[in-house]
Amino acid sequence: MIKEDVIICRCEDITLKDITDLLDEGYQTFEEIKRILRIGMGACQGSTCISLLQREISNYHNIPIEKVETPKVRPLMTGVKLKSISEAYKNES
Amino acid sequence: MLNKTGVPSLSLIKTKFPEQNKLFKAKAITECYEEIPCNPCSTSCPFEAITIGEDINKLPVVDFDKCTGCGICVYSCPGLAIFTVALKKEKAIFKIPYELLPYPKVDETWKAVNRDGLVIGEAIIKKVILKPKQDRTLLVEVEVDKNLLYDFITIKE
Amino acid sequence: MIFKDLVIIGGGPAGLSAAKIAAEAGVSCLIIERDPFLGGQLIKQTHMFFGSEKQYAKTRGLDIAKILIDDCLKHQDLIEIMTSTTVVGLYKDKVITTLHDDTYNKIKAKSIIVSTGASERFFAFENNDLPGVYGAGAVQTLMNVYGVKPADKVIMVGSGNIGLIVSYQLHQAGVKVLKVIEAASNIGGYKVHASKIRRIGIPIETRKTIKRAIGKDKVEQVEIVSLDDDWNIVDNSSEIIDVDAVCISVGLIPQRNLLSMIDIKTKFIKELGGIVPIINEDHQTSDKDVYVCGDVSGVEEASSAIVEGYYTGLIAARNLGKEHQDFKTLNIDYKNQLLNLRSGPFGKKTLKGLEIMKEDANVK
Ligand code: SF4
Ligand code: SF4
């Protein structure tokens, strides 16, 4: 398999090679990999990549998939203009 | 092998047919071999000829003595798994559900197709029925050679 | 800030059903839907549904959507609907932030029902980002919602009900489906669907998978390979096929992102499709004022989502102090319907998943 050509996270353009390189370097958790690659932080907020990365980590470190921790999702789900937020604040006060 | 290809074996198909001598009138054949949560065939039959029971996962059982061959279950089955068939001399008359374009027209000759999707002969279109209550599923009556009784399943232009 | 007793996030089959029953009980609710229309995935289901009359069997999915929407519109005094509105944040004090066009809003709820459904599972193979690689659901949206023909020659990857149904609908739309391939040893979906597509000339081949998509700027070919019983690629089994689209239908993943924002307890239960919230019999999550129903709490057929929605609406209303006049009968009826829908071979997986969840709920 040509790992550079397998996309794991479409939003942030992360390939399987990006992932296995980090795993080879010794990174263990989803959270670590996310902080380096931004995987799961794009437009879909991990809807597509979380299960794929879970599986890669599970296979690589030989741990059951249900034991692979996934990162917390935080607001905001999509991009929101600061103007929109400030206007909502103005209307309230 | 039904589980691997979607095509049931001949012996499995035959379990759904009555004795041939009962087919002088049209009877419903329910090609439903697997327990799924579904029962419109039984609730739609005005003659209570199809039984599934309380547990809607059970397989439909046709009482061929009660079945009049009306064809209501044919367009009511969401799996398009029911047809009716009658034997008339050297011909088998089928009523099948059909949901593809173009629609067949009466007296046209179409291709008779088997469960593998292969052409096995000719099918003469006898009737094309589409009433509002059929909810866009056509009921097509076709005539094929009697030899195709256990092979014929649908038509192709 | 808008104040609401019950906010339902997601206006698909589960959310609409929940709103209907909650409104019947007298609760004022708000449905927030991201898409411009209500009905969720139902609006693109042109086939007749399974189940029994209570779940609208033999009605086409898009017509079930109409029924459920009409039911809600009958309660216009109690049900408010926001479409094209995305929930962008959920906070522990039950504040929901939304975005509609560029308008940002805050809503405070007493109770929340999360019925966000599921998203399509993606899958790793070479060139899986080439234009022409679609999710089967996306293809259905293009065809049946927007009337766009997605391609001319397609290969379907995955033989679950979605893969089989979408293959049939592609054929209806005049698209050539070359074959359906399935990595497992047996067809995943209902055999009646499989037989239906086989007879119109679409082969289904098990123990095969896609190795790569090939093409310069878009999909032009695919390479498929056979798998042995240990899921290893069989030597010399490669086959190159000319296609202009690959349809991926390898399952759905519960869409639990919002629940994660408020630290709802979840667990990976593969029988339910992945990470799901741990819920009790009343569909309450670890925050008792936050309920879930439909695919977000375990991927199943839409008929189950509808019944789960009714049930959750019933319970949420009672807990808000508005008991439905038929509470007792409906409560039993919905439970029985769910049991009935799940008691066949296809329901076993869900029941097992729910068992696993129960064990977890007890440990706490
Ligand atoms: S053909 Fe008519 S009578 Fe026979 S089982 Fe079907 S609905 Fe009933
Ligand atoms: S309606 Fe069709 S699919 Fe459903 S149980 Fe009857 S025969 Fe089977």
Side-chain angles (χ1 to χ4, degrees):
Chain A
M1 195 190 293
I2 305 169
K3 289 180 181 173
E4 291 97 309
D5 290 341
V6 179
I7 294 282
I8 298 293
C9 170
R10 289 186 287 198
C11 309
E12 296 290 326
D13 245 331
I14 308 299
T15 67
L16 182 57
K17 181 164 190 302
D18 299 328
I19 305 281
T20 48
D21 283 353
L22 286 187
L23 290 168
D24 287 342
E25 273 180 50
Y27 290 97
Q28 306 247 343
T29 66
F30 201 126
E31 196 64 47
E32 289 164 342
I33 295 172
K34 174 181 122 174
R35 283 169 195 224
I36 297 167
L37 295 178
R38 284 187 53 84
I39 184 165
M41 294 173 74
C44 83
Q45 289 287 300
S47 297
T48 16
C49 64
I50 283 184
S51 70
L52 292 177
L53 180 52
Q54 251 187 320
R55 188 157 302 268
E56 288 310 319
I57 295 174
S58 152
N59 288 343
Y60 193 95
H61 291 298
N62 210 357
I63 37 178
I65 191 157
E66 58 269 27
K67 294 266 149 55
V68 179
E69 298 257 354
T70 54
K72 182 177 160 66
V73 181
R74 292 184 177 79
L76 306 159
M77 272 299 287
T78 61
V80 181
K81 289 181 188 150
L82 288 173
K83 181 168 174 257
S84 304
I85 296 178
S86 81
E87 260 164 24
Y89 179 76
K90 261 189 254 157
N91 292 343
E92 215 153 273
S93 47
Chain B
M1 267 288 288
L2 183 62
N3 285 339
K4 299 201 189 291
T5 63
V7 182
S9 65
L10 182 61
S11 52
L12 196 57
I13 295 167
K14 284 191 172 166
T15 61
K16 300 292 180 177
F17 277 71
E19 301 287 308
Q20 286 206 15
N21 60 19
K22 286 218 161 135
L23 290 178
F24 65 95
K25 273 169 72 185
K27 299 293 168 199
I29 312 298
T30 53
E31 282 216 64
C32 188
Y33 304 104
E34 174 188 52
E35 294 195 347
I36 51 176
C38 183
N39 73 356
C41 52
S42 85
T43 53
S44 67
C45 174
F47 304 97
E48 297 185 345
I50 304 186
T51 312
I52 285 186
E54 272 296 290
D55 178 358
I56 62 171
N57 293 282
K58 290 277 170 283
L59 296 181
V61 179
V62 183
D63 181 338
F64 293 109
D65 293 325
K66 284 188 183 167
C67 171
T68 65
C70 69
I72 291 176
C73 58
V74 175
Y75 58 75
S76 302
C77 166
L80 304 193
I82 310 181
F83 57 86
T84 73
V85 63
L87 294 175
K88 291 269 143 67
K89 296 198 184 121
E90 292 313 304
K91 300 290 177 191
I93 318 283
F94 284 85
K95 264 187 252 166
I96 56 163
Y98 196 73
E99 292 187 331
L100 302 173
L101 291 172
Y103 288 165
K105 292 194 195 78
V106 175
D107 289 338
E108 285 177 348
T109 302
W110 281 38
K111 292 175 184 120
V113 171
N114 70 6
R115 290 169 179 79
D116 263 310
L118 303 172
V119 176
I120 48 168
E122 286 187 342
I124 300 165
I125 312 295
K126 289 291 184 187
K127 272 187 207 159
V128 180
I129 307 165
L130 184 58
K131 295 188 195 129
K133 65 171 181 185
Q134 288 172 235
D135 192 14
R136 291 157 279 183
T137 301
L138 233 57
L139 195 58
V140 184
E141 192 177 296
V142 297
E143 187 185 89
V144 301
D145 199 274
K146 186 182 175 179
N147 297 332
L148 303 182
L149 178 64
Y150 298 115
D151 296 322
F152 173 81
I153 189 74
T154 192
I155 50 172
K156 195 164 129 182
E157 206 189 4
Chain C
M1 184 105 75
I2 303 166
F3 292 86
K4 276 282 163 188
D5 284 348
L6 178 61
V7 174
I8 297 166
I9 306 175
L16 291 171
S17 309
K20 177 201 170 184
I21 295 297
E24 269 183 22
V27 175
S28 89
C29 30
L30 165 67
I31 304 175
I32 307 176
E33 167 58 49
R34 183 179 60 178
D35 278 344
F37 6 71
L38 294 171
Q41 303 309 302
L42 285 177
I43 61 164
K44 57 192 195 193
Q45 310 304 330
T46 52
H47 60 283
M48 294 182 265
F49 270 48
F50 295 84
S52 72
E53 263 164 5
K54 285 189 169 162
Q55 304 96 30
Y56 313 103
K58 89 173 176 149
T59 306
R60 295 181 192 274
L62 71 164
D63 295 322
I64 299 180
K66 281 188 202 138
I67 296 172
L68 299 179
I69 294 167
D70 281 349
D71 282 346
C72 285
L73 294 179
K74 276 181 208 143
H75 294 282
Q76 255 165 354
D77 49 329
L78 286 170
I79 302 179
E80 187 188 341
I81 295 164
M82 289 180 183
T83 49
S84 302
T85 306
T86 307
V87 171
V88 289
L90 190 57
Y91 301 85
K92 284 185 178 164
D93 53 0
K94 316 263 160 357
V95 170
I96 298 158
T97 54
T98 62
L99 192 67
H100 171 82
D101 293 332
D102 269 341
T103 313
Y104 182 80
N105 242 324
K106 285 190 216 162
I107 299 159
K108 187 163 168 70
K110 281 187 193 150
S111 292
I112 299 172
I113 295 180
V114 177
S115 47
T116 42
S119 56
E120 290 197 88
R121 190 176 283 281
F122 194 49
F123 142 72
F125 58 91
E126 276 174 55
N127 297 325
N128 55 354
D129 63 335
L130 264 187
V133 177
Y134 290 103
V139 158
Q140 230 186 354
T141 304
L142 280 176
M143 278 194 301
N144 300 347
V145 181
Y146 297 106
V148 175
K149 188 178 176 186
D152 293 316
K153 273 191 293 179
V154 173
I155 183 165
M156 179 66 66
V157 181
S159 71
N161 276 337
I162 297 180
L164 298 175
I165 289 167
V166 175
S167 297
Y168 183 72
Q169 292 175 358
L170 280 162
H171 184 92
Q172 284 181 309
V175 176
K176 177 105 184 117
V177 182
L178 293 166
K179 54 178 83 179
V180 176
I181 57 172
E182 166 62 58
S185 55
N186 286 321
I187 293 168
Y190 292 169
K191 297 319 169 284
V192 286
H193 282 317
S195 302
K196 189 166 88 178
I197 69 164
R198 186 67 198 92
R199 74 174 75 120
I200 53 177
I202 304 173
I204 306 171
E205 294 171 5
T206 54
R207 278 277 177 248
K208 288 202 172 163
T209 191
I210 179 169
K211 189 165 170 264
R212 61 187 171 125
I214 305 165
K216 204 168 151 277
D217 301 317
K218 60 181 184 59
V219 175
E220 290 161 25
Q221 292 176 312
V222 285
E223 180 181 354
I224 61 173
V225 287
S226 297
L227 298 171
D228 64 18
D229 289 338
D230 298 318
W231 304 84
N232 297 314
I233 295 177
V234 177
D235 289 343
N236 301 320
S237 64
S238 148
E239 188 187 338
I240 307 267
I241 308 174
D242 291 343
V243 295
D244 54 10
V246 183
C247 247
I248 307 290
S249 121
V250 292
L252 301 174
I253 306 174
Q255 186 51 272
R256 49 102 220 184
N257 279 354
L258 293 175
L259 297 168
S260 171
M261 291 181 189
I262 51 169
D263 295 327
I264 294 297
K265 287 209 173 67
T266 56
K267 185 179 168 71
F268 183 96
I269 302 179
K270 82 167 183 298
E271 287 78 4
L272 298 179
I275 305 167
V276 288
I278 296 170
I279 55 172
N280 64 15
E281 225 194 27
D282 283 348
H283 279 244
Q284 278 167 314
T285 64
S286 53
D287 178 333
K288 67 177 184 27
D289 296 317
V290 177
Y291 304 77
V292 288
C293 53
D295 275 1
V296 65
S297 59
V299 173
E300 279 185 276
E301 293 297 320
S303 26
S304 308
I306 294 170
V307 185
E308 278 194 4
Y310 287 147
Y311 180 76
T312 310
L314 186 76
I315 300 289
R318 186 212 43 201
N319 294 350
L320 281 165
K322 301 261 164 100
E323 192 170 293
H324 193 289
Q325 54 175 4
D326 301 322
F327 182 86
K328 281 211 179 80
T329 1
L330 292 177
N331 187 17
I332 296 169
D333 182 33
Y334 296 150
K335 279 186 186 152
N336 285 340
Q337 284 188 50
L338 283 172
L339 209 60
N340 207 344
L341 286 169
R342 289 167 181 161
S343 66
F346 279 88
K348 274 206 189 97
K349 216 168 91 182
T350 303
L351 289 180
K352 188 173 165 210
L354 293 175
E355 259 330 292
I356 296 172
M357 183 181 291
K358 229 186 242 166
E359 282 162 26
D360 225 78
N362 291 342
V363 170
K364 275 188 303 189

